[in-house]
Amino acid sequence: MKPFLRNRLARYADRLGELEFLLSREDIMSDMKQFLALSREHTDVASVATRWHRYQVREADLASAREMLADPDMAEMAQEEMDSATLELAQLEAELQRMLLPKDPDDARNAFVEIRAGTGGDESALFAADMARLYTRYCERKGWRTEFISESASELGGYKEVVLKISGDGVYGALKFESGGHRVQRVPVTETQGRIHTSACTVAVLAEPDEAVTITINPADLRIDTYRASGAGGQHINKTDSAVRITHLPTGIVAECQDGRSQHGNKAQAMKVLTARIIEKDRSARAAKDAAERKGLIGTGDRSDRIRTYNFPQGRLTDHRINLTLYKLLTIMEGDLDDVVQALQAYEAAEQLAALEVAANA
């Protein structure tokens, strides 16, 4: 284990002792807000400190086993202990590294997924529909709930734009890497000559705002329009002005919802989408100042602006940010996205760990 990690972990053991002392004080116990905050910290710190203690114990076991190797009568037992300790140490080190990484408070939140057709005309709209299907299938595998918030259908059955709300545990943390330009290479259903075409769509993943700490929007800055919904929804949805479109005048950001039967419900949902877009706009503006985060910004929809390529003739998916190539495209399009998500999460964790080491050595 690297020295900088050992130094950080040693501080957890010290902090655990401090917290146990604080939680035993009567003045702390009488202040419920402070007591609960310290209790939550104690739980987190104890989890790390316990694993760090176990790591140190197994290191000592490994050292003892190596000394025992010199005794022929103990060599076999010593080797078994060395193998066991080495395996457990590797597992503990991986766990401890993950626990030391900074946590994004939004990772546990629900998310809005916006998919827009880009370059490529009707084919890009069909690809946008395929991406919506990919995400809904992935969510089914994860046990997450998916709702269609708004949709603008194309003539051939694709989507010019579609917005999904996905609810479940850890949704944003899994899907946030999907933001950006997605490029597809395949023979479109509209192609009569059998030629491969390239088209694109953009995906934006927004964390659902925390109602307790969300930004304040001045009602005077909003223009709210109602209209009759189009598309799926049965007869009722087309008989009333239930669909809602909200425009934030200072930024020009627009959100709409037409999925529900209630105008009130659609307004509330559209407001959540609008707030998420405003928050994401602020987040992106800050990220643009940091070159290390620029690759995560949403693309323009141009063929050359892409984070990922879906090559159907070769059955290949390539994520250009981490040079990941998988030859299981049809399976992925059916919702088997775990290999991609896990590779991106591992890459982010490695970058965070490297950043921690740089900071420790600065």
Side-chain angles (χ1 to χ4, degrees), residues 78-113:
Q79 187 61 55
E80 290 179 358
E81 178 63 13
M82 287 176 59
D83 293 342
S84 173
T86 300
L87 178 61
E88 187 174 353
L89 284 168
Q91 294 171 341
L92 286 166
E93 182 171 353
E95 286 182 25
L96 287 165
Q97 285 184 4
R98 285 196 298 270
M99 297 174 84
L100 289 179
L101 296 178
K103 296 178 177 62
D104 185 340
D106 286 336
D107 279 355
R109 302 196 66 77
N110 300 331
F112 295 105
V113 177

